[in-house]
Amino acid sequence: MKVCIIGSYAKALVMTADRIPVAGETLMGRDYRGEFGGKGSDMAVQSSRLGAEVSYIGVIGDDTFGKEFVDLMKDEKIDINGLRITKEKSTGTGFIIKDIEARNVIVVDSGANDLFSKEDIDNAEKLIEEADVVLAQLEIPLDTALYAMKVAKKYGKTTILNPAPAVNLKECDLSDVDILTPNETEARVAVGVPTDSELTNSEIAEMLFKTGCKKIIMTLGDKGSGIFEPGVARQVQPYKIEVVDSNGAGDCFNASLATALAAGKEIDESVLYANAVSALCCTKWETVPSYHTAAEVKEFMKKHGKKEIV
């Protein structure tokens, strides 16, 4: 199992409050802490803990936060030969407010992630060539993410694009994307309709297929996940758990999906696995501390039984 992450990293500065503040409001918070963040970093850690050989391509700043990231990657046994360290910009940083209902709001300064270029992909092309699955997300420039998908398809790799943070992809060529993995909100942003649109998920998926992507796996929160192919849709039932913290669950889902596919599992089985891993993630606080090992996931799935695909 070899997974290449087209990465992003941001130091997460986190605080808890009783509720999410509204505009112009000041609340007293507590439990300030600094955590590892960034969608690419999260995905790399979770995939590695599930047993994959993970390589990471990305850009960080030459600063304290960047050095902490390098140490994390080494601790998690992740190949960072594709990592560029720059003095031009600081390492990305995110501010997160969490409430006692397991909700959160996040603001991110991309920092050095904005400098991630096609040249960085070319310089680390060998890592893509050696991978089974290449996974990208959009905390880096869109052109760079799509270029990575193009390079990966040149070598016949399975490509996954997680379109988060959400952007309008309606005019983009996603023909090098095998699997697009939005949540329900991101899917609607991607096709340029209001997030409260009454269009069904199947109708949204059919609009997304016009971009050229081959399959869509849409995460549906406590309703599980939807698998969409042109003219065909099915739903994978969720694992019911008591949610402690949902932060990082989407990254967890994508990492486990990529890992399962790299292991040779079929798409339905891979989504079942990703549902289980992301549910288990929600039983603990934060991102990296909530990511479990393959053995823990296996025990969780055994305990909760196989879920239906309808």
Side-chain angles (χ1 to χ4, degrees):
M1 300 183 294
K2 292 188 176 182
V3 176
C4 180
I5 304 295
I6 308 304
S8 62
Y9 175 69
K11 178 71 173 184
L13 305 177
V14 189
M15 189 178 297
T16 300
D18 288 337
R19 57 183 173 81
I20 303 299
V22 299
E25 181 182 23
T26 299
L27 291 180
M28 297 303 293
R30 59 188 178 276
D31 299 332
Y32 170 79
R33 61 269 191 200
E35 302 286 349
F36 298 111
K39 301 184 73 62
S41 170
D42 290 348
M43 291 172 183
V45 170
Q46 179 63 94
S47 185
S48 181
R49 289 185 183 178
L50 293 174
E53 293 182 40
V54 180
S55 57
Y56 181 98
I57 306 174
V59 185
I60 58 171
D62 185 11
D63 51 33
T64 300
F65 289 165
K67 290 179 175 64
E68 291 175 351
F69 172 72
V70 169
D71 290 340
L72 172 68
M73 294 293 98
K74 290 179 179 178
D75 289 344
E76 298 290 339
K77 299 179 175 56
I78 294 165
D79 183 344
I80 53 173
N81 284 318
L83 179 66
R84 176 163 67 92
I85 301 174
T86 180
K87 294 183 180 295
E88 292 181 58
K89 283 195 173 186
S90 62
T91 298
T93 306
F95 295 106
I96 303 172
I97 299 173
K98 299 186 176 187
D99 73 6
I100 57 177
E101 300 296 328
R103 298 171 300 183
N104 61 71
V105 292
I106 305 173
V107 179
V108 177
D109 176 357
S110 295
N113 294 303
D114 285 339
L115 302 178
F116 194 176
S117 68
K118 295 179 181 180
E119 185 178 0
D120 291 307
I121 298 297
D122 289 337
N123 290 339
E125 187 171 325
K126 186 68 175 176
L127 296 176
I128 293 175
E129 182 182 1
E130 293 173 347
D132 298 306
V133 177
V134 178
L135 169 59
Q137 39 63 54
L138 299 183
E139 286 181 342
I140 61 174
L142 175 61
D143 287 349
T144 302
L146 295 183
Y147 183 69
M149 301 287 93
K150 182 180 182 66
V151 172
K153 290 315 297 180
K154 180 176 73 172
Y155 292 107
K157 308 304 178 180
T158 298
T159 56
I160 303 174
L161 178 64
N162 177 221
V167 297
N168 191 326
L169 298 172
K170 194 173 181 180
E171 303 303 322
C172 293
D173 178 5
L174 304 186
S175 57
D176 294 312
V177 176
D178 291 321
I179 303 172
L180 191 71
T181 58
N183 62 27
E184 292 177 279
T185 298
E186 292 157 356
R188 283 155 176 76
V189 173
V191 296
V193 303
T195 56
D196 60 355
S197 168
E198 294 183 0
L199 291 170
T200 67
N201 288 333
S202 291
E203 290 171 329
I204 294 293
E206 291 301 321
M207 294 171 70
L208 279 170
F209 284 129
K210 294 178 181 178
T211 64
C213 61
K214 309 302 186 299
K215 290 185 178 69
I216 296 165
I217 309 299
M218 195 179 301
T219 53
L220 309 175
D222 60 6
K223 298 187 294 294
S225 304
I227 302 175
F228 300 90
E229 298 173 85
V232 179
R234 52 199 185 275
Q235 186 171 342
V236 182
Q237 297 299 311
Y239 286 82
K240 298 293 186 181
I241 48 89
E242 183 176 345
V243 175
V244 173
D245 181 20
S246 63
N247 191 31
D251 303 339
C252 177
F253 180 92
N254 279 272
S256 47
L257 176 68
T259 303
L261 291 170
K265 297 181 187 295
E266 296 297 327
I267 190 70
D268 288 14
E269 187 179 2
S270 296
V271 174
L272 277 169
Y273 186 73
N275 276 3
V277 181
S278 55
L280 191 55
C281 152
C282 292
T283 63
K284 290 186 177 182
W285 283 99
E286 313 305 347
T287 54
V288 169
S290 73
Y291 291 160
H292 291 71
T293 65
E296 290 170 324
V297 174
K298 182 178 180 180
E299 182 62 27
F300 175 83
M301 295 182 74
K302 181 180 178 180
K303 177 181 177 181
H304 287 79
K306 190 159 178 126
K307 300 300 175 182
E308 292 184 352
I309 302 174
V310 295

